[in-house]
Amino acid sequence: AHSQGFEVARIGSVFGTSVGPHATLLARRAEAARRPLRVTLLGLGAVGRGVYEHLLRQEERFEIVAIAVRRRERHEAAGAPGRLLLSLDEALGVPSDIVVEAIGGVREAGDALAIALNAGRHVVTANKAVIAARGPALRALAEREDTTLSCSAAVGGVVPVIETLRGLRGRVAKIEGVLNGTSNFVLDRLAEGTSLDDAVAEAQALGYAEADPGDDLSGLDAARKLTLLAREAFGETLDAERIPRAGAAAVGAFRPAGDGKVGRLIASLRATEEGCAASVDLVPVNAAHPLARCRGANNAVVITLRSGRTIELRGRGAGRWPTAESMVGDLLELWRDHEPRLGRRAPVLGEFEAVAS
């Protein structure tokens, strides 16, 4: 009666039965009829290893053809097949359909992504730093080469923030969220009386924090994520370094006032007549506030529409598995939407100056 449609599928399947006002469409195409998409994995650290282990369980869809690592012996000892372990330039030289970037940083990762896109390959990354710094150039390159730049995992872990905003362009008035699970975990531990050093050490032991958690605690990580959200929600380009933020000292010094409020490092965007305004603030919020219910390493986002309606999203935000699972979600979208590509040629690192800025 309302011309609505939906798909039904088993868990883990990217093919489903489409039901709606049209004739019901059954998923009859056999996945086995297609060859697996060839994947080059850049990095085998915490997140890269998570993606690797997921892909090993998806052999009918994905074939890992190369893995870029810095210390081959270390990863061989951990069980990775030596024939796949290569240097970065060697891995990029192996023909593939998709390049998954999990090395982190900006320059090296950005160069590698530009080279992959220029060679006609799809790319998947969770690297919010490289997308914040070089996203426009990489997106333009992807559009020029008719490839896909997927970065859903760069914001929110398993929380589908980017995907949701993509369908709300022009309707969003404000976004508020806890976008960094590490800082949220630390703030909760501080509220319980744990020292900053002990809270950070626990976050590192659990895989929530890097060896240097400075970007997390200062709010820079959340600011980088805001640049991605600003583009999706408002079509605006922001500089993460210029977004006002609380700073690591404020987070480390935070202690609850005993009034029932909890501390949250809240990243916010709001529409203005000049475009959009952004900030990352340490805010004491009441227990009834939607972001107060975001505990530990979780992420949560409240999207306020121009109509006044709100949309709340929440889920695990920090650690290997939330990020890896979100990246695999992007890979499954590529499997569903794209046929295997033969690739025009293998890229080489020496071409960087001509393909990236």
Side-chain angles (χ1 to χ4, degrees):
H2 299 285
S3 299
Q4 298 296 309
F6 60 92
E7 281 193 352
V8 181
R10 65 176 173 81
I11 294 175
S13 175
V14 293
F15 295 112
T17 297
S18 179
V19 181
H22 51 71
T24 298
L25 303 175
L26 301 179
R28 296 187 181 277
R29 182 170 58 172
E31 296 184 16
R34 298 173 57 186
R35 74 164 174 82
L37 292 176
R38 300 163 300 174
V39 176
T40 295
L41 177 58
L42 308 183
L44 201 57
V47 173
R49 186 80 191 193
V51 174
Y52 170 76
E53 293 181 12
H54 272 296
L55 294 186
L56 290 181
R57 298 192 289 270
Q58 301 268 349
E59 292 182 348
E60 73 281 6
R61 297 174 184 148
F62 303 104
E63 176 191 4
I64 301 172
V65 295
I67 306 172
V69 296
R70 292 188 176 89
R71 296 175 56 190
R72 175 172 175 163
E73 308 80 20
R74 171 187 172 188
H75 297 292
E76 277 188 305
R83 63 183 176 81
L84 298 180
L85 301 177
L86 306 169
S87 66
L88 181 59
D89 56 345
E90 289 172 336
L92 286 170
V94 176
S96 65
D97 304 295
I98 305 171
V99 171
V100 177
E101 184 271 310
I103 56 179
V106 174
R107 181 169 183 176
E108 187 177 45
D111 293 358
L113 292 180
I115 290 164
L117 290 168
N118 191 64
R121 303 179 184 190
H122 305 299
V123 301
V124 173
T125 181
N127 188 339
K128 78 284 297 184
V130 76
I131 298 300
R134 293 169 60 171
L138 292 172
R139 289 187 182 95
L141 184 54
E143 183 175 354
R144 189 191 82 191
E145 301 297 333
D146 191 27
T147 59
T148 302
L149 171 63
S150 298
C151 55
S152 298
V155 181
V158 298
V159 184
V161 184
I162 289 179
E163 298 92 329
T164 300
L165 289 175
R166 200 164 284 158
L168 295 173
R169 177 73 70 89
R171 299 166 57 195
V172 177
K174 183 173 65 174
I175 302 168
E176 290 184 305
V178 173
L179 300 180
N180 184 271
T182 301
S183 62
N184 205 58
F185 178 89
V186 169
L187 283 168
D188 275 358
R189 287 294 184 266
L190 293 177
E192 295 168 359
T194 303
S195 71
L196 176 63
D197 288 345
D198 287 346
V200 169
E202 185 180 357
Q204 291 167 333
L206 292 171
Y208 300 152
E210 301 290 342
D212 179 2
D215 288 355
D216 298 316
L217 300 182
S218 71
L220 179 57
D221 177 81
R224 287 168 174 159
K225 293 172 181 176
L226 283 180
T227 68
L228 277 67
L229 301 188
R231 181 176 179 85
E232 295 295 342
F234 304 113
E236 295 284 336
T237 299
L238 301 180
D239 181 350
E241 297 287 349
R242 301 184 65 179
I243 294 176
R245 54 186 188 271
V251 172
F254 175 80
R255 294 295 183 276
D259 55 1
K261 295 182 178 180
V262 296
R264 290 290 177 261
L265 194 63
I266 297 179
S268 63
L269 286 170
R270 67 181 185 279
T272 70
E273 292 183 357
E274 294 76 28
C276 68
S279 64
V280 181
D281 303 301
L282 181 57
V283 182
V285 297
N286 293 315
H289 192 286
L291 298 181
R293 299 195 295 270
C294 176
R295 307 293 297 177
N298 287 342
N299 280 187
V301 175
V302 178
I303 302 169
T304 303
L305 304 183
R306 294 182 185 275
S307 65
R309 186 167 70 92
T310 61
I311 299 171
E312 294 185 24
L313 306 170
R314 65 184 67 250
R316 182 68 69 178
R320 169 192 292 183
W321 294 113
T323 304
E325 287 165 5
S326 187
M327 294 178 80
V328 171
D330 281 344
L331 284 163
L332 288 170
E333 284 297 314
L334 287 171
W335 164 263
R336 175 175 181 164
D337 295 337
H338 296 274
E339 294 294 332
R341 302 165 71 96
L342 296 177
R344 296 189 294 277
R345 56 188 172 81
V348 292
L349 284 178
E351 294 178 302
F352 163 64
E353 294 297 338
V355 301
S357 59

